[in-house]
Amino acid sequence: MDAPAERTFDRLGPVLTKKRLALQEASAAHLLHQGEGLLRLERWIPLDRTILTLLALVGLAGPARREFLGIRLVEQTWTLAHLPAAFDGFRLLQLSDLHLDIDPELSPAIVRAVQNVPHDAAVVTGDFRNRTDGDPAPCIALLSDVLPFLAKDRWGILGNHDSLEMTQPIEAAGLPILLNESAALTRCDAKLWICGTDDPHFFRTHDLEAASRGIPSGDCKILLTHSPEIFDEAEQAGFDLQLSGHTHGGQLCLPGGFPLVVPCRAPRRFARGRWSHGRLQGYTSPGTGSCGVAARLFCPPEITLHTLRSPSAGV
């Protein structure tokens, strides 16, 4: 094991590292993204190929591909009780579920979507690649095409498609990864904390206590966690805002955006868009890329610009 890999494993800790590596080795990598319920059919049939064939047969292959590449900008505004006045109006750009290796036209589409969007910081909430095995270097190269268009203050987290060994090359490309860790933004001596967990869905190696360790009580904390399903833990841990992805909003939906499948252990209200739970506010991105097939129906991909407001601004 090389020194960078050892340092990465030290950051996650021996117990969670052992758990994650064991699952990576023993779980048949091509099954990692199959989730629950109907998605388990992929164990028996070539589901991705079947979906593409069905879309072609019903004349939806073209529209589904155009929607896949039509990444839109969605804007959200949040009033956060603990946000310092110095951060009022702060713009945080979220990308999620890039799955960059799914199609060669995807990374240029992402660049077109983000290049003219002013923002103060950026986050990527997991799943950099579509494949769950093999060499991640081609995916990292595609990520390197996107990163120059993101703010210098930027962070990412790993998803269930991402191996722990991807951390070091992603960071070398210019995107720090939060492995149950936090980073602080500072303005006029005020701080805003960006906390990130490891994947809570498949690997279940998240640790909210570690992710918020050392943060003073009462400071504003934004949680990045790949799947929204730990909303209750996050609310109890006192986070102000949770940003997630993973579900793709269903990706291939019925008219009106009704998802046929939501691969997440959470009620459907957490599967896409804005939600709240007790004192916690949250947003689940429908994803910037697509999983399995380069196609979307009634569920457009997005980048999300979150504007933060402080109740104490102007007081």
Side-chain angles (χ1 to χ4, degrees), residues 100 107 111 137-149 169-170 172-174:
L100 287 161
S107 56
V111 169
C139 175
I140 308 300
L142 293 168
L143 178 64
S144 297
D145 294 337
V146 174
L147 291 179
F149 299 92
I170 290 175

Side-chain angles (χ1 to χ4, degrees), residues 156-176:
I157 55 172
L158 300 181
N160 57 303
H161 279 237
D162 306 318
S163 67
L164 189 56
E165 292 87 346
M166 289 173 62
T167 303
Q168 193 275 330
I170 290 175
E171 293 190 327
L175 183 69

Side-chain angles (χ1 to χ4, degrees), residues 6-28:
E6 287 184 352
R7 289 195 293 271
T8 297
F9 297 165
D10 287 343
R11 287 164 55 191
L12 194 58
V15 174
L16 294 183
T17 295
K18 182 178 179 180
K19 178 181 180 181
R20 203 186 209 280
L21 293 179
L23 284 170
Q24 287 181 188
E25 293 175 2
S27 62

Side-chain angles (χ1 to χ4, degrees), residues 30-42:
H30 67 284
L31 298 178
L32 290 185
H33 67 289
Q34 293 179 359
E36 308 294 336
L38 292 175
L39 291 183
R40 293 187 184 277
L41 287 172
E42 198 170 356

Side-chain angles (χ1 to χ4, degrees), residues 87-106:
F87 283 95
D88 186 64
F90 191 86
R91 299 161 301 180
L92 182 63
L93 184 65
Q94 179 189 9
L95 290 74
S96 193
D97 301 273
L98 301 181
H99 296 279
L100 287 161
D101 53 336
I102 196 172
D103 190 281
E105 293 187 51
L106 178 57

Side-chain angles (χ1 to χ4, degrees), residues 115-193:
Q115 62 184 350
N116 294 316
V117 179
H119 59 285
D120 301 297
V123 296
V124 183
T125 46
D127 275 4
F128 293 89
R129 65 177 179 175
N130 186 58
R131 292 187 59 179
T132 55
D133 59 355
D135 183 5
C139 175
I140 308 300
L142 293 168
L143 178 64
S144 297
D145 294 337
V146 174
L147 291 179
F149 299 92
L150 300 183
K152 291 183 179 179
D153 288 323
R154 58 196 184 212
W155 296 272
I157 55 172
L158 300 181
N160 57 303
H161 279 237
D162 306 318
S163 67
L164 189 56
E165 292 87 346
M166 289 173 62
T167 303
Q168 193 275 330
I170 290 175
E171 293 190 327
L175 183 69
I177 295 295
L178 299 174
L179 293 171
N180 298 329
E181 297 165 321
S182 64
L185 290 156
T186 303
R187 282 187 173 181
C188 303
D189 297 325
K191 291 187 183 296
L192 170 63
W193 295 87

